[in-house]
Amino acid sequence: MPVLAKLEQAGFEAYFVGGSVRDTLLRRPVADIDIATSAFPEEVKQVFTRTFDTGIEHGTVSVLEAGEIYEITTFRTEGTYADFRRPDEVVFIRSLEKDLERRDFTMNAIAMGLDGHFIDPFGGQQDMAQKQIRAVGVPFERFHEDALRMMRGVRFVSQLCFDLEKNTYDAILQNSELLENIAVERIAVEFVKLMRGEAVKVALPLLHELGILPFLPGLKGRNDALERLDKWDLATVKDETTIWFVVVLAVQPVNASIFLRAWKLPNKLIRDVTKAYALAEKTVWSDYELFVTGMDTVALIEKGRFVRTGITVWDALYARFADFCVQSRSDIKATGNDIMAWTGKKGGPWLKVLLAQLDQAIIEGDIANTPEEIKGWVKHVIS
Ligand code: ATP
Ligand code: MG
């Protein structure tokens, strides 16, 4: 509210818009607060002391106020859309109504002023009361302008347990192929939100029904994967790594890493999920195997098992981790350098083998984790 007040005091209009208004009206937790203003970006920057040019060419300036970051976007219209994904030009305007017109769904095209009154030119509140997701304007045209909106529509079905209004539904059915023009990273953001939604079991079949599935990397023709997901308990699947692990378990790719790379996911996530997938069916572990695999991966594997079967042995495995005298290699009281010094030998493949043997000897309790004992053990093994 102070952010809005400052803009108003400077003589501009300012409103809450988008998801924060929608979610407030639905009494749901708000994800992020988007603010729309009649001030042009340069004017916004004059009103606030701490600003960042996050997307200034689209009119978005981020503002740091009272320790929080708020995105402030100038009222704008979008010029023509040549390639189904982004406007050729963005035009800044001073009219709120024109700005609301370019938004995707009626429930996302409501503004709220500082005094709490709503500007809702497309009947968003009525659609929300009827649990309907309705495109603003002519749905066919709106999906031609930006095909990502179709994926967002199904994402909102999952998050809100709403239905797609008939004309909106039909327009997606007719235009789903346009999704091939959309950057996979943007599709992935919506897909993850869809997977997290309460009505994910309603939304997943829609991906098939509406012809969206072929435009999700590795999922073309893979209705079987959706059917598998439908049988699983996805209620606890919320963090991004678990979501992708569960998707991989459903898709059963020969090579998980290739599947995940097609989605352009971060390398660490790809490594973590691929590692868990390779060991997904493992239930019997030696102490040493647990140690080298690591607690995070074993936890992920067990989460995957729980989602699929309702059964997990995580508690027992966790207890074994907790009993280990060392939690990671860095806890072991000898480094590769120490071993080279003790033996007078230069590094090489032998050292890696020896370090692995050392880990095993310590984890299995054959020797104590003290430099003296390790030194004695190293000399004995080398000789
Ligand atoms: P969330 O709660 O996930 O943030 P959101 O609806 O706020 O949902 P944002 O991506 O934050 O989604 O977008 C903010 C607002 O910008 C939307 O509510 C909508 O009004 C508008 N918007 C976002 N993406 C599009 C799009 N592709 N086409 C038209 N309007 C969009
Ligand atoms: Mg938002």
Side-chain angles (χ1 to χ4, degrees), residues 18-19 22-23 31-32 34 102-104 108 146 149 152 155-156 193:
R22 177 194 71 226
D23 291 335
D32 52 27
D34 303 297
R102 61 138 180 121
R103 294 174 184 272
D104 49 3
N108 290 341
D146 181 356
R149 291 169 185 159
R152 283 173 59 86
R155 178 262 270 208
F156 288 123
K193 290 185 179 181

Side-chain angles (χ1 to χ4, degrees), residues 103-227:
R103 294 174 184 272
D104 49 3
F105 300 106
T106 59
M107 64 185 184
N108 290 341
I110 307 171
M112 186 175 90
L114 249 192
D115 58 2
H117 85 283
F118 296 101
I119 297 97
D120 178 10
F122 309 104
Q125 291 171 94
Q126 194 183 339
D127 282 330
M128 283 197 282
Q130 294 174 17
K131 296 185 183 280
Q132 286 202 104
I133 301 164
R134 179 198 302 273
V136 172
V138 181
F140 189 95
E141 290 169 11
R142 304 314 309 286
F143 299 144
H144 262 252
E145 288 169 2
D146 181 356
L148 186 73
R149 291 169 185 159
M150 299 186 277
M151 190 68 199
R152 283 173 59 86
V154 182
R155 178 262 270 208
F156 288 123
V157 168
S158 183
Q159 285 184 321
L160 306 175
C161 316
F162 281 17
D163 289 322
L164 291 162
E165 172 273 332
K166 173 89 172 59
N167 292 321
T168 303
Y169 178 100
D170 288 345
I172 298 179
L173 195 57
Q174 287 166 34
N175 291 294
S176 51
E177 280 169 22
L178 298 178
L179 274 166
E180 78 181 337
N181 301 292
I182 301 297
V184 59
E185 293 92 331
R186 294 177 75 203
I187 296 182
V189 168
E190 299 302 326
F191 183 66
V192 165
K193 290 185 179 181
L194 183 159
M195 284 294 295
R196 275 195 196 118
E198 267 164 67
V200 56
K201 302 253 168 125
V202 180
L204 284 173
L206 280 178
L207 293 175
H208 172 64
E209 211 175 290
L210 290 167
I212 292 175
L213 209 51
F215 306 98
L216 307 184
L219 284 168
K220 184 174 183 180
R222 296 302 307 275
N223 205 24
D224 62 310
L226 298 188
E227 283 165 5

Side-chain angles (χ1 to χ4, degrees), residues 281-286 289 320:
E281 306 309 329
K282 191 168 173 63
T283 48
V284 180
W285 298 81
S286 73
E289 285 170 336
R320 285 172 64 192

